[in-house]
Amino acid sequence: MSEVKKIATRESYGNALAELGKEFDNLVVLDADLAGATKTGVFKKAFPDRHIDCGIAEANMMGIAAGLATCGKVPFASSFAMFASGRAFEQVRNSIGYPHLNVKIGATHAGISVGEDGATHQCNEDLALMRAIPGMVVINPCDDVEARAAVRAAYEYEGPVYLRFGRLAIPVINDEETYHFEIGKGVTMKEGRDVTIIATGLCVNESLEAAKLLAADGIDAEVINIHTIKPLDEDLVLDSAAKTGKVVTVEEHSVIGGLSSAVCDLLSEKAPTKVMKIGVYDQFGESGPAAALIKKYGLDAESIYKKVKAFA
């Protein structure tokens, strides 16, 4: 049996930028002294004249990106999620969001899967922060295929986009030949009738594996991949919730303000449904191997299976 291919979505980000750079001369990449880690070094090697290292000055980088956007460039400002959404929040809000400029933010090393870097770098709040900015599109791809498609879609979209990528290599679960990415449109990964699992990012694969375990117990789970946290695919969420009557959200992020909040906001207003949230519960991360942390925080397939089984 062949081994499942695994790629970190930060790698996908760097590769996608390099490919797009061949097609579009107005694409410019900015980084904050982290080109090796964010993988924008791939673009830098191919197009050194269109890569700007802004140094350890993320707030300034966002201002530069805003300026470039006003001149007709399409800048991708890149850094760790903690710095891109946290340290530079004011500049993202006031210099990019408020004038609704065509800036793309590539945020890598998000969530607890950053691992040994610990709580200071494990940003579990970025989706909430970016979701709160009016007009900001927020995307969290689940694998290499989806991540590369998301970068292209972000380039083609006119307006600010926040793209979330991970450090950990994760399974490639989408077929590149058939996969189609559309901003604001989720994907049903598995049909089901008993409970709906709505997942994002690396939790999509873990939720699919959990669904296999649930099937052995006679529980038919529907699994939905919500790659775009904002705008949310309301029709897909509402239709699935109506079909199963129970919803579970799974995210490598705080349960405050991210995917679960977006889903609960929708359901409470339009179709009150029983919901269970799986994610990081009002706490900081800690240093440790990524796989161990994912298990400790209950985001692995076995943990998701046990929680959904008890809920369903």
Side-chain angles (χ1 to χ4, degrees):
M1 186 175 183
S2 61
E3 193 172 323
V4 176
K5 185 179 181 181
K6 293 185 177 182
I7 302 174
T9 51
R10 61 171 174 149
E11 299 270 3
S12 313
Y13 177 53
N15 292 333
L17 288 175
E19 286 301 312
L20 286 171
K22 299 174 185 176
E23 300 179 48
F24 306 107
D25 292 338
N26 65 346
L27 192 156
V28 181
V29 175
L30 292 76
D31 212 295
D33 199 39
L34 288 170
T38 62
K39 300 305 177 182
T40 61
V42 179
F43 182 92
K44 180 180 181 180
K45 184 177 180 180
F47 308 100
D49 293 339
R50 286 192 275 148
H51 182 278
I52 303 171
D53 189 338
C54 299
I56 306 174
E58 291 83 4
N60 185 53
M61 176 177 68
M62 296 303 175
I64 294 171
L68 287 167
T70 65
C71 298
K73 302 297 184 182
V74 182
F76 279 76
S78 319
S79 187
F80 288 3
M82 186 66 252
F83 308 138
S85 69
R87 180 177 292 168
F89 179 80
E90 180 192 345
Q91 285 69 30
V92 173
R93 179 192 184 275
N94 289 340
S95 297
I96 296 172
Y98 182 43
H100 199 73
L101 292 178
N102 194 31
V103 175
K104 321 304 171 183
I105 301 169
T108 69
H109 293 66
I112 59 171
S113 59
V114 173
E116 288 84 355
D117 285 0
T120 57
H121 286 55
Q122 293 165 356
C123 192
N124 296 310
E125 308 85 19
D126 59 318
L127 298 180
L129 288 167
M130 293 297 104
R131 184 172 161 250
I133 296 176
M136 179 70 74
V137 169
V138 182
I139 300 175
N140 183 33
C142 72
D143 73 349
D144 170 66
V145 172
E146 189 163 85
R148 287 186 285 112
V151 176
R152 177 174 288 275
Y155 174 86
E156 295 171 350
Y157 175 83
E158 184 69 29
V161 179
Y162 180 83
L163 295 147
R164 187 189 216 231
F165 304 109
R167 175 188 187 185
L168 181 67
I170 55 177
V172 178
I173 56 179
N174 287 298
D175 182 349
E176 188 164 13
E177 298 300 318
T178 60
Y179 181 76
H180 172 70
F181 182 94
E182 185 176 350
I183 290 176
K185 293 296 182 182
V187 182
T188 300
M189 307 295 288
K190 176 189 174 299
E191 298 278 357
R193 65 176 184 276
D194 297 324
V195 61
T196 298
I197 303 176
I198 302 177
T200 189
L202 65 77
C203 294
V204 174
N205 177 67
E206 297 300 325
S207 295
L208 285 169
E209 293 302 311
K212 294 177 183 177
L213 298 173
L214 289 164
D217 289 330
I219 299 172
D220 188 16
E222 180 148 296
V223 180
I224 293 175
N225 167 22
I226 293 294
H227 51 65
T228 309
I229 309 300
K230 181 186 174 187
L232 185 70
D233 189 338
E234 296 189 357
D235 291 340
L236 180 59
V237 172
L238 289 170
D239 288 348
S240 186
K243 179 167 63 171
T244 67
K246 290 183 178 180
V247 171
V248 178
T249 59
V250 192
E251 59 192 315
E252 187 201 3
H253 183 273
S254 171
V255 294
I256 302 169
L259 172 67
S260 61
S261 291
V263 170
C264 287
D265 286 350
L266 171 66
L267 293 178
S268 64
E269 179 182 0
K270 296 187 176 180
T273 307
K274 190 173 182 180
V275 177
M276 179 176 70
K277 303 177 181 180
I278 299 177
V280 179
Y281 271 80
D282 198 24
Q283 62 190 118
F284 290 102
E286 58 191 289
S287 181
L293 290 172
I294 288 170
K295 184 173 182 61
K296 179 170 182 177
Y297 286 83
L299 300 176
D300 62 301
E302 181 71 22
S303 298
I304 295 169
Y305 153 69
K306 290 178 180 178
K307 292 175 183 177
V308 176
K309 181 181 178 181
F311 178 70

